[in-house]
DNA sequence: TTGTAAGCGTTATCAT
DNA sequence: ATGATAACGCTTACAA
């Protein structure tokens, strides 16, 4: 391994001078600077990150915690974050929590040992009491999911508008019996709270009461969607439309509906969420809420970069607009 | 930050003893070992990986290079690798090359500075002449894609059997005019060479000559698939079936075909590759070649783990069988 | 069985 | 403007 000493020897200068060149310090004669550069090039020298980190200088690594990388929402998000991080000369470490508290914690712990110098959390499993202590080891930023009433900067999508718009669309189409899937528990302050709000608001405005039979909690996958459809079919009083929490659930609902001989959107209208590639692959194509995932990733990476700088500033919270994409399923 | 010195002080012992406990050295009295453990627990001590790495001891990090994490094939592969790595107490760093030679190289470079202690390459952009030198800095393993005639261990799928089986299936169904998409250039020794072989073999056995008009090179995405279908529609002599290189291309072909009023499989039969979730979402559902992606990821991580051990052994090459899944599109 | 001290590659401090 | 040296946290001869 080529070290700074090798470069020093080769250029006939001291380690200090070489180090100064590497770190772009002022007060180095142009002449020596070039000498060092030449030696570095010839030797193919590249500074050892472990040493720099140990010494306390290197801040080059961002971490991002996702629940599941195979979920396209998150893989696209990670992709955007990675691109932006890379452009800003940060290396990105990707962590998969599997929605596991302990695993999430073990990743947060990497801040302590400076394995990562800042973390973007796209999901949050633990309470703020347990997360808060880690903020003193390095910057943390919420992206997508977040905790309320914290000082942690957030980059998020306007979920409540998303569900409001989707529901409104169904109501405008004449539906009054509308099913609703949520990834959370439909609780005041839990997961998907913002979406629940929008759902409520649309219903309230139209004077439609909530029918709790048609609320499906803890839904995530295609399989879940199929299951939902099965349940609906077993009901005496069925909804004529369903607002799902993701394109994947929507896909499951649609596949099962068609398998059971129903027609979409006549027998059941379906609205997705995300506008993933599958939305266009389904037949009929899926009406859905498009989320500017890439933009969100960019903003998050930029925000964290800001927090990781010398004189760090906490970036303002970012709220990104979502958009209703009307296709054949409604 | 809690350091080994703090633990030493707290337990009234020396740094060496603490270090020995951490590293499970023999010849430590049970008594002192417990003393150290207690101090570590009380202090919440966790060894600093940078220091250990610098010192030359830590081997805890695997890297995996993928072309694009948003490609489900690779996100599932990465997922499997990550799970296995985690179980073996390795941390996984995920790198996205974007099919860029320089980026791939910069990741390989991390071996030099011991940022990663071993690398799984799921795609390979550079020639072996440029990759080979890196093998002396740390173990490299090919997974999925690979270079022939190298000493680098491989974990791969039996691609040639995959395309052979898929083509055979179409031929058995009575097709003689069969289109073929490849991600490479249909060259003897380039990308997808194995698949090309299987394609040829099936055709040869049936005595069907290759029609180069129906060979589409450099195909990858849904958009590519749509384009392929458009080209086919503009032909006087059209194929009645098409063997695509991935479910995504297949999806594009199918979507465009249906948009243009064709019926699948009557007007055109389609075979995918991968058996991704979308295969079941399409209508009709997609006949495809299922690849044991998770198994491949496991084997790769296990193989690399073997190579990273004390007295490293190169694992045997692994060839995983693929399987034809017959659905409605053929 | 335990402790002392040197060294991994880098940068900050203090001289010069 | 440049150089010598100590220190970051850890492991390993070498001593005891």
């Amino acid at each position: 391994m080529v070290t700074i000493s090798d470069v020093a020897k080769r250029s006939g200068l001291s380690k200090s001078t070489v180090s100064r060149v590497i770190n772009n310090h002022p007060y180095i004669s142009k002449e020596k600077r070039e000498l060092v550069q030449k030696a570095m090039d010839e030797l193919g020298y590249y500074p050892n990150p472990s040493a720099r980190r140990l010494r306390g200088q290197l801040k080059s690594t961002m971490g991002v915690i996702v629940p599941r990388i195979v979920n396209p929402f998150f893989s696209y998000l990670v992709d955007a974050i990675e691109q932006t991080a890379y452009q800003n000369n940060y290396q990105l470490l990707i962590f998969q929590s599997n929605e596991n508290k302990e695993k999430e914690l073990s990743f947060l712990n990497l801040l302590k040992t400076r394995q990562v110098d800042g973390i973007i959390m796209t999901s949050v499993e633990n309470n703020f009491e347990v997360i808060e202590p880690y903020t003193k080891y390095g910057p943390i930023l919420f992206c997508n999911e977040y905790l309320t009433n914290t000082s942690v900067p957030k980059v998020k999508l306007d979920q409540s508008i998303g569900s409001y718009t989707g529901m409104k669309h169904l109501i405008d189409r004449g539906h009054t019996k509308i099913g609703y899937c949520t990834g959370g528990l439909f609780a005041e302050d839990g997961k998907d709270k913002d979406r629940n709000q929008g759902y409520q608001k649309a219903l309230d405005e139209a004077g439609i009461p909530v029918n709790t039979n048609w609320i499906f909690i803890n839904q995530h996958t295609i399989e879940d969607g199929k299951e939902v459809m099965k349940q609906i079919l077993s009901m005496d009083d069925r909804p004529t439309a369903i607002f799902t929490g993701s394109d994947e659930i929507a896909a499951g609902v649609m596949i099962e509906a068609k398998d059971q001989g129903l027609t979409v959107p006549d027998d059941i209208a379906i609205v997705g969420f995300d506008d993933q590639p599958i939305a266009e692959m389904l037949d009929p194509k899926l009406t859905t809420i498009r989320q500017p995932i890439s933009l969100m990733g960019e903003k998050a990476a930029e925000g964290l970069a800001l927090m990781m700088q010398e004189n760090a500033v906490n970036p303002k919270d970012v709220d990104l607009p979502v958009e209703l994409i009307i296709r054949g399923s409604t």
Side-chain angles (χ1 to χ4, degrees), chain A:
Chain A
M1 162 179 276
V2 185
T3 77
I4 201 173
S5 301
D6 300 325
V7 178
K9 222 167 279 169
R10 176 106 182 190
S11 60
L13 296 164
S14 73
K15 289 196 297 178
S16 326
T17 305
V18 177
S19 173
R20 289 190 183 100
V21 171
I22 296 168
N23 295 281
N24 274 310
H25 280 250
Y27 310 128
I28 307 171
S29 67
K30 199 176 167 190
E31 176 199 6
K32 315 257 169 182
R33 184 186 298 277
E34 279 161 3
L35 231 48
V36 171
Q37 276 298 357
K38 184 155 160 285
M40 295 204 299
D41 291 347
E42 289 171 356
L43 260 30
Y45 168 77
Y46 195 77
N48 182 316
S50 293
R52 303 181 87 180
R53 228 187 293 279
L54 182 58
R55 194 57 183 72
Q57 283 323 295
L58 193 63
K59 283 213 186 331
S60 68
T61 310
M62 294 182 175
V64 57
I65 302 179
V66 296
R68 294 271 291 154
I69 191 70
V70 297
N71 179 327
F73 177 86
F74 290 104
S75 71
Y76 275 89
L77 180 55
V78 161
D79 182 44
I81 294 175
E82 201 267 343
Q83 308 277 358
T84 310
Y86 189 78
Q87 280 160 24
N88 291 285
N89 292 314
Y90 286 102
Q91 200 192 316
L92 184 70
L93 303 196
I94 302 164
F95 304 117
Q96 199 168 212
S97 73
N98 275 314
E99 313 196 348
N100 174 324
K101 283 187 188 184
E102 279 70 42
K103 228 174 153 187
E104 177 176 280
L105 229 50
S106 80
F107 294 145
L108 256 13
N109 252 305
L110 301 178
L111 278 176
K112 281 195 192 171
T113 50
R114 316 204 36 254
Q115 294 246 77
V116 295
D117 311 294
I119 288 187
I120 296 174
M121 298 181 71
T122 70
S123 64
V124 4
E125 308 300 333
N126 287 280
N127 298 327
F128 194 59
E129 290 86 72
V130 3
I131 293 177
E132 195 275 328
Y134 290 93
T135 58
K136 73 164 184 285
Y137 294 111
I140 292 178
L141 180 144
F142 290 141
C143 169
N144 181 48
E145 246 181 81
Y146 66 98
L147 261 13
T148 31
N149 299 320
T150 70
S151 53
V152 177
K154 294 178 260 305
V155 174
K156 66 186 192 65
L157 301 164
D158 218 322
Q159 303 286 350
S160 103
I161 299 228
S163 54
Y164 173 80
T165 317
M167 288 295 294
K168 184 96 177 15
H169 168 66
L170 288 171
I171 292 167
D172 288 349
R173 283 274 205 267
H175 294 278
T176 54
K177 299 160 77 170
I178 306 175
Y180 177 76
C181 300
T182 169
L185 302 168
F186 202 67
E188 266 311 286
D189 191 36
K191 230 174 195 171
D192 283 355
K193 52 185 175 302
D194 294 350
R195 291 193 189 178
N196 299 344
Q197 267 178 30
Y199 161 79
Q200 279 279 5
K201 190 176 162 217
L203 248 31
D204 289 351
E205 282 183 12
I208 302 173
V210 173
N211 181 333
T212 51
N213 287 331
W214 299 336
I215 292 180
F216 304 87
I217 60 172
N218 238 319
Q219 304 296 317
H220 298 97
T221 64
I222 294 176
E223 284 312 312
D224 290 340
K226 290 184 183 173
E227 205 48 53
V228 164
M229 193 63 228
K230 281 181 192 150
Q231 283 189 46
I232 289 179
L233 282 164
S234 74
M235 294 177 179
D236 293 329
D237 187 22
R238 299 181 194 166
T240 61
I242 182 153
F243 184 85
T244 65
S246 77
D247 289 349
E248 290 176 302
I249 304 170
V253 170
M254 188 183 292
I255 291 168
E256 185 65 25
K258 293 201 302 187
D259 276 359
Q260 300 288 337
L262 298 193
T263 305
V264 179
D266 296 341
D267 295 324
I268 183 142
I270 306 174
V271 178
F273 213 114
D274 289 347
D275 196 28
Q276 291 177 14
I278 56 166
E280 286 212 271
M281 278 186 252
L282 293 167
D283 183 17
K285 293 178 184 172
L286 189 66
T287 293
T288 189
I289 311 294
R290 175 178 297 167
Q291 312 207 64
I293 301 184
S294 298
L295 189 57
M296 178 162 69
E298 272 173 44
K299 294 290 181 195
E302 284 167 6
L304 188 65
L306 232 50
M307 298 171 77
M308 287 168 67
Q309 280 178 359
E310 200 69 39
N311 23 24
V313 234
N314 269 22
K316 289 215 188 72
D317 287 0
V318 177
D319 250 88
L320 268 11
V322 301
E323 185 188 357
L324 175 68
I325 307 291
I326 301 175
R327 298 201 183 93
S329 71
T330 55

